[in-house]
Structures are given as structure tokens and as C-alpha cells.
Amino acid sequence: MDPYCASPRDRYRLEPAEAVLDDPARYEREVLRPPADAIARNGGDIRVHLYDFPCSFGTERIDDSVRVMLYGHGKRGTDGPILAFERRDSTPCWEYFAGQPDRMLGLADSDPTPEPRRSKDITVRRYA
């Protein structure tokens, strides 16, 4: 989630105080910048994209695995259940959660942002 957009404030209302990185500069410095710097140094093929709308779960897709962290009231995403799905299992859950990052990348790669997202001022951008 883009640390400078309004949506993190919505999420922080749900999470416990110790989970809140409410300073956008701190979040960028401590969470976003270290992996971005490592990728730049090592020439890796990992991309980080930021979005500016609230979510109820976080999805990480690496190769043929997807991890899903659920956000709930008074819980961090990592304090709730973490669901893991593998491509080889080819379940409806795999298809749904693996497709979420692809959908986000489609929004990031589209120029201009398609409707109705453009009218709602929803953006997804690559973190550089």
C-alpha cells in the first residue's frame, strides 16, 4: 500500500498500535527501501508495486506460491492466519489469489488507468 495515500489510515484503525507504521517516511525507509536497494544492487527480477485503496488481505506471489495474510480487527496481517497455495494444487483458491497480483500489475501497466478506477482516483504504480 502506498504509504502516502489515505488508505493506510483506514487500516491502522483496525490494527493494534504496535503494528502501526504511521509515519510514511519511516515505512518507506524501513520497509520499502531495503528490498528495493537490494534488488537494484543485485539486478534481481523482483518488482514492488504500490496501490492506494484499502484491502482486507495482503497477497505475496513468489514463483509458484501465494501467501495470503488476512487483516482483522485488532490484528496485524501476520498475526492472523497465513494461507499458502501452490500452483500444482490448482484449486479455485489458487486461481483467485494468484490472480490478484496479476490484476494489480494490469492496473499498473495500463495507461491511462481504465474506468471506473480513473474516476475513483485509484492508482497502482511501480515503486522505484
Side-chain angles (χ1 to χ4, degrees), residues 21-82:
L21 286 169
D22 57 354
D23 176 14
R26 177 179 171 213
Y27 181 83
E28 187 166 17
R29 182 180 64 248
E30 295 180 14
V31 177
L32 293 175
R33 181 56 41 203
D37 289 346
I39 293 163
R41 276 193 312 273
N42 299 316
D45 188 27
I46 297 175
R47 295 180 289 167
V48 175
H49 288 81
L50 302 177
Y51 55 93
D52 66 351
F53 48 90
C55 63
S56 56
F57 59 86
T59 305
E60 298 173 346
R61 182 173 177 184
I62 300 174
D63 297 329
D64 291 336
S65 299
V66 174
R67 290 182 351 149
V68 180
M69 284 111 353
L70 306 175
Y71 297 106
H73 293 279
K75 299 289 183 183
R76 306 176 204 216
T78 55
D79 286 343
I82 298 177

Side-chain angles (χ1 to χ4, degrees), residues 6-24:
S7 292
R9 286 190 291 279
D10 291 333
R11 199 178 93 207
Y12 296 153
R13 291 185 317 168
L14 299 176
E15 291 183 321
E18 64 272 11
V20 175
L21 286 169
D22 57 354
D23 176 14

